Amino acid sequence: GDICKVLPGCGIPTDGVITSGSSFVDEAMITGESIPVKKSVGDLVFGSTINQNNCLYVQVTSLGAESALAQIVSMVESAQMSKAPVQAYADRLAGLFTPVILALGLTTFVVWMSLCYSDTVPKQWYVDEYETPLPFALCFAISVVVISCPCALGLA
């Protein structure tokens, strides 16, 4: 219920109602609007906004955590701390996707090594370029991982 005197060019200290005077108030801090708004007796003003022209007398309606700016800050903080449901789902999916792709790459390696050592794959496929089945099978395994999930290689 206190009344504050707000001089031109000064910030309004807290939320309140104008009891005397009229002036333009820069509310960009709260609304984002760059054009000052005309305020007169009975109008609500917000703390941290700037009185532009004339002296205003403001009756305090809220202090500290009850002010509009404090409530906006609180909502932004809670929004930053919480995850959207789709983000939580994406995190769960990513947590499963990468190990599955790595397991698929390992399976590909084992299958190609088995095929090479069982002579199912002709030796001329790998002898000229790779000499042994190991780099030949490894090439297929790495290809599966990189094509399926390029980020999996970085995570591994």
Side-chain angles (χ1 to χ4, degrees):
D2 291 342
I3 295 181
C4 298
K5 180 179 180 180
V6 184
L7 299 173
C10 292
I12 297 172
T14 186
D15 296 354
V17 176
I18 297 175
T19 58
S20 177
S22 68
S23 180
F24 283 92
V25 176
D26 181 1
E27 294 184 335
M29 172 70 85
I30 301 291
T31 64
E33 177 60 52
S34 61
I35 300 171
V37 179
K38 174 89 168 139
K39 297 287 184 171
S40 57
V41 175
D43 289 341
L44 179 67
V45 289
F46 300 106
S48 76
T49 57
I50 308 295
N51 179 17
Q52 297 283 312
N53 304 66
N54 303 316
C55 183
L56 293 175
Y57 289 89
V58 178
Q59 183 177 9
V60 175
T61 58
S62 60
L63 291 171
E66 298 171 356
S67 71
L69 183 61
Q71 290 176 8
I72 290 170
V73 168
S74 174
M75 289 191 309
V76 169
E77 285 175 349
S78 68
Q80 288 176 336
M81 298 303 285
S82 64
K83 281 188 179 181
V86 71
Q87 187 179 5
Y89 176 73
D91 288 346
R92 273 197 327 268
L93 187 64
L96 294 173
F97 184 71
T98 302
V100 167
I101 294 303
L102 292 175
L104 189 59
L106 182 63
T107 303
T108 302
F109 175 77
V110 169
V111 167
W112 277 101
M113 285 294 288
S114 301
L115 292 173
C116 288
Y117 280 116
S118 67
D119 292 328
T120 306
V121 172
K123 287 189 180 191
Q124 67 260 20
W125 282 15
Y126 60 87
V127 169
D128 293 340
E129 191 173 338
Y130 300 104
E131 295 179 13
T132 65
L134 179 70
F136 180 69
L138 196 57
C139 183
F140 284 104
I142 290 172
S143 297
V144 166
V145 171
V146 170
I147 290 170
S148 300
C149 182
C151 62
L153 194 59
L155 293 174

